[in-house]
Amino acid sequence: MISDRLKRTQYYRAAMDFLETAERKRDWKIFDDIPWDKIDPSKNSDQKSIRIETFCAEEMYLPDYASHGARMTRELYGASCFQARWSFEESRHGLVFREYLLRSGMRSEDEIESLEAMVFAGEWVPPFPTVRQMSCYGALQEGATYTAYKAQKERAELEGDLVLKAIFANVASDEAAHAGFYRKLVEIELAADHGATVRDFAHVLANFKMPGDGLIPHYHERLRVGGGGITARQFMEGVVLSTLRSLGITRAELKSGQAHNQALPTTLSAEAAAK
Ligand SMILES: [Fe+2]
Ligand SMILES: [Fe+2]
């Protein structure tokens, strides 16, 4: 077992490493690093507008992500500093999509107003109650978001949309870094308590859904019509299996974690999750 003090130190170190890379290698600016003067309304389409609007909506739950995240990590200073930086980076994602919708003319100010009203009609709440489970969730969710945005970057490149290509290159690189940070936290948790962390990972995977799923009206329909989703196969191979490989969790361990979780009565399982 790793002591709480050692764990806090490891979280702090992980946050500082994240911050150093973010500041030195990954930082980008909405106003300077997107070639807005190359915006080309002839590349607008209904499909594209639904796609970008859905991504924008999912990023716009920032007040909920940030407030719940800050509360959950309050006693882990490193993790709470990461949360602050993460919130800033996620704010750029919502803003850059919003600016693209407006500057391309695909959405008017009034339509963006309606989008805000739709988003803030519902509140996102963390799908899992502990930092360890939310770290497992973050590794998967950020990995899935990275996979979706990377595909969009390639699509924009094929379509010759230079503005969207630059946007997705930058947001995808942020999401990849976020996934990497959460994987690091899961590694720390695995070193502290391997079995319990594997069981948490299995529990999170079995109950995984994207933040907008169940929150953004017609979420799946929007992803299907807009072409913004990833396939189940992309999720399994590109996100789940690669995350497991990077964490050193075997499929046999995961299965045994799943079997353990299923064997627990529901109430006991919820109590264990709350610890
Ligand atoms: Fe994001
Ligand atoms: Fe992210």
Side-chain angles (χ1 to χ4, degrees), residues 59 86 89-91 93-94 97 141-142 145 149 171 174-175 178:
E59 299 280 0
W86 178 92
E89 293 184 5
E90 297 296 354
S91 79
H93 302 174
F97 288 141
Q141 185 274 124
E142 301 278 3
T145 307
Y149 288 169
V171 293
D174 286 352
E175 308 297 12
H178 299 168

Side-chain angles (χ1 to χ4, degrees), residues 1 4 77 96 102 119 123 134-135 137 146 150 180 191 204 215 217 223 226-227 242 244-245 255 260 268:
M1 283 282 187
D4 277 0
Y77 186 67
V96 81
L102 283 167
V119 166
E123 183 190 346
M134 284 306 289
S135 297
Y137 180 73
Y146 162 69
K150 181 169 161 280
V204 168
L215 201 52
L223 288 179
S242 76
L244 288 172
R245 261 196 306 277
K255 274 191 179 165
H260 181 277
L268 188 61

Side-chain angles (χ1 to χ4, degrees), residues 53 57 60-61 98 102 107-122 216-217 222:
E53 186 184 69
M60 279 172 67
Y61 290 92
R98 184 177 167 127
L102 283 167
R107 287 291 181 268
S108 65
E109 295 278 359
D110 283 352
E111 286 167 329
I112 293 289
E113 188 78 15
S114 303
L115 181 69
E116 271 195 26
M118 179 190 85
V119 166
F120 296 123
I216 296 172
R222 279 173 160 275

Side-chain angles (χ1 to χ4, degrees), residues 10-220:
Q10 290 174 323
Y11 269 53
Y12 181 74
R13 192 66 256 157
M16 288 303 281
D17 288 347
F18 175 88
L19 185 60
E20 186 176 10
T21 307
E23 284 195 351
R24 294 199 158 140
K25 298 185 183 160
R26 186 169 49 80
D27 219 2
W28 60 277
K29 295 182 175 67
I30 292 176
F31 298 99
D32 294 342
D33 296 321
I34 307 297
W36 294 111
D37 58 322
K38 302 268 191 321
I39 211 146
D40 179 1
S42 75
K43 298 194 182 300
N44 290 356
S45 72
D46 286 347
Q47 194 198 32
K48 188 189 274 186
S49 67
I50 291 167
R51 183 162 76 242
I52 306 302
E53 186 184 69
T54 307
F55 290 139
C56 187
E58 200 155 34
E59 299 280 0
M60 279 172 67
Y61 290 92
L62 181 71
D64 301 331
Y65 303 146
S67 57
H68 286 288
R71 258 174 273 158
M72 281 186 90
T73 56
R74 191 184 171 280
E75 290 174 19
L76 285 162
Y77 186 67
S80 75
C81 289
F82 164 80
Q83 269 294 321
R85 171 79 198 193
W86 178 92
S87 297
F88 155 67
E89 293 184 5
E90 297 296 354
S91 79
R92 318 195 263 218
H93 302 174
L95 288 170
V96 81
F97 288 141
R98 184 177 167 127
E99 281 300 301
Y100 179 79
L101 288 167
L102 283 167
R103 292 186 191 211
S104 65
M106 282 192 289
R107 287 291 181 268
S108 65
E109 295 278 359
D110 283 352
E111 286 167 329
I112 293 289
E113 188 78 15
S114 303
L115 181 69
E116 271 195 26
M118 179 190 85
V119 166
F120 296 123
E123 183 190 346
W124 177 87
V125 290
F128 302 98
T130 67
V131 170
R132 189 170 65 198
Q133 290 183 345
M134 284 306 289
S135 297
C136 297
Y137 180 73
L140 292 170
Q141 185 274 124
E142 301 278 3
T145 307
Y146 162 69
T147 304
Y149 288 169
K150 181 169 161 280
Q152 293 301 324
K153 185 197 117 187
E154 286 158 10
R155 183 174 182 165
E157 193 162 18
L158 276 176
E159 293 174 353
D161 189 331
L162 299 177
V163 179
L164 212 44
K165 182 186 153 195
I167 289 174
F168 279 115
N170 284 310
V171 293
S173 118
D174 286 352
E175 308 297 12
H178 299 168
F181 178 79
Y182 285 117
R183 281 198 305 271
K184 180 71 202 168
L185 294 197
V186 179
E187 278 172 25
I188 293 169
E189 296 292 350
L190 282 165
D193 190 336
H194 190 86
T197 306
V198 170
R199 288 194 290 280
D200 270 359
F201 194 93
H203 173 67
V204 168
L205 182 59
N207 296 281
F208 180 84
K209 61 179 187 175
M210 290 297 284
D213 188 353
L215 201 52
I216 296 172
H218 315 295
Y219 181 72
H220 291 288

